[in-house]
Amino acid sequence: MTKESSLNPEQIDYFGITNPSTLSAATKRALKWTRLENDWYVQFEEHDLQGDLAFEEGVVRRDPSAIIWENGKYYVWYSKSVGPSQGFAGDVEQDKVWPWDRCDIWFATSEDGWHWEEQGVAVTRGEKGAYDDRSVFTCEIMKHNGRFYLCYQTVQSPYTVRVQNQIGMSWADSPDGPWVKSAEPILSPAQNGIWRGDEDNRFLVERRGDFDSHKVHDPCILHYRDKFYLYYKGEQMGEEINFGGRMIRHGVAISDHPLGPYEKSSFNPISNSGHEVCVWPFGGGIVSLITTDGPERNTIQWAPDGINFEIMAHIRSAPHAIGLNRSIDSHKSPVACLSWGLTHKYYSDDYQFIRRFSAKHVSHHTAKGETAV
Ligand code: AAL
């Protein structure tokens, strides 16, 4: 606890304290703030795109990958499906249960990042009986040593409530493909939860198991410290609501080779808040934008070792499912790589479309004609 005697005149002046001998609980907390500079703050805006990625009636385009610059243009990959979703009440063998069910991974290119041309399908669902026969979706791109790696979520049919989601991978020597698929998933849920009964209900459990006992989602691989760090979102069997949001956590799995095998870190979970994974290298460590769920939602965090994250900034809000612009040098400043990229927006529960975000660093608040110091 801060003692009044330990306060110096600068602190009293900076925090505008009326009487140092009667500090409120809020002021005692403020005196413990470790970061007073603004280098990690951003404010976001969202904008419509032009061309093939603009909203299209009856079509789902969502969860854009990172953007990369190749062959004189930007490339992005994303989940694409058509038609409305029926949910889980009907025949899950025949129906489309979610907008991200019955997806393939498509790609588009753009010279200016505003006007996009859809180029076609990159990775399709597998043959009947394969681990990815129902949907391939929510992908991320990595270029390493001249080769392109797409990792993505996979589901095997039937898409029941209790079905597990895994992570698959394809690779190619050109961003235009052709893509070669891994024969097996590169990451699977922990197998240590136990369902209660046979009802297709994900909230009924004997034991929850690890934070990723039900689904592994939102993969993103970064080449870091001579290894490959696969960051992902875990969903747990018997998930609960906590702090007004879903109980979503992040983990990391590490490999010597982009194709794996990936070993889950013993430190998992490495975040107890967040949703879609959004990570980039900076300052010798890894930055993570934590959105949507958990008590630490709307924060920007940094881990000097890629694993032990601390909160660097609380921000007002953040776009969903960000596809970062990897052509920006993320080492320039903590939030440089957020200057623009892609996101998705819900037109309705059935249809989502891809948009562009921009973000600016917040360093002053001035009126028109007023000068900041
Ligand atoms: C997204 C991601 C994953 C989920 C679904 C599609 O926001 O977290 O991709 O499976 O929603």
Side-chain angles (χ1 to χ4, degrees), residues 48-254:
D48 282 331
L49 293 174
Q50 296 139 20
D52 296 333
L53 296 193
F55 173 68
E56 185 182 356
E57 195 80 45
V59 179
V60 176
R61 288 189 186 85
R62 56 173 292 145
D63 291 298
S65 72
I67 305 162
I68 57 170
W69 177 260
E70 290 292 326
N71 309 323
K73 52 198 174 190
Y74 294 110
Y75 279 75
V76 69
W77 290 259
Y78 46 89
S79 317
K80 182 178 177 186
S81 66
V82 290
S85 323
Q86 287 79 42
F88 290 95
D91 178 2
V92 293
E93 292 276 4
Q94 301 302 325
D95 290 347
K96 179 184 176 191
V97 299
W98 289 114
W100 50 87
D101 185 13
R102 303 195 186 279
C103 278
D104 298 299
I105 295 168
W106 287 60
F107 74 116
T109 60
S110 171
E111 283 171 18
D112 61 3
W114 288 99
H115 189 277
W116 291 84
E117 288 173 24
E118 190 160 74
Q119 300 296 334
V121 70
V123 177
T124 53
R125 284 160 270 178
E127 303 271 301
K128 195 168 172 41
Y131 71 94
D132 60 352
D133 71 357
R134 179 68 179 240
S135 196
V136 288
F137 58 118
T138 312
C139 59
E140 188 55 278
I141 187 79
M142 175 183 68
K143 183 184 182 187
H144 180 71
N145 282 348
R147 182 166 265 192
F148 299 85
Y149 299 88
L150 261 180
C151 53
Y152 42 82
Q153 296 179 199
T154 64
V155 182
Q156 184 169 18
S157 204
Y159 201 145
T160 57
V161 168
R162 284 184 171 181
V163 76
Q164 294 205 330
N165 288 191
Q166 306 187 89
I167 293 173
M169 158 90 84
S170 292
W171 62 93
D173 291 325
S174 155
D176 298 302
W179 295 89
V180 180
K181 263 190 195 183
S182 62
E184 299 294 332
I186 59 165
L187 203 74
S188 298
Q191 303 297 328
N192 55 5
I194 303 171
W195 296 119
R196 184 181 339 138
D198 293 329
E199 187 191 326
D200 188 26
N201 182 324
R202 69 191 174 96
F203 304 109
L204 296 176
V205 282
E206 297 293 346
R207 193 174 69 208
R208 291 190 173 82
D210 289 0
F211 77 104
D212 59 350
S213 58
H214 190 189
K215 296 178 179 178
V216 287
H217 274 175
D218 296 278
C220 174
I221 304 176
L222 296 180
H223 183 222
Y224 179 59
R225 294 187 171 179
D226 281 335
K227 294 194 184 287
F228 297 88
Y229 280 52
L230 193 180
Y231 291 92
Y232 66 99
K233 174 188 115 188
E235 291 193 6
Q236 192 179 28
M237 293 162 60
E239 176 189 297
E240 290 196 355
I241 293 289
N242 79 342
F243 295 92
R246 294 181 59 193
M247 215 157 165
I248 297 288
R249 276 75 63 107
H250 290 172
V252 65
I254 300 169

Side-chain angles (χ1 to χ4, degrees), residues 248-265:
I248 297 288
R249 276 75 63 107
H250 290 172
V252 65
I254 300 169
S255 175
D256 291 327
H257 191 276
L259 297 177
Y262 282 91
E263 193 181 329
K264 292 181 184 176
S265 168

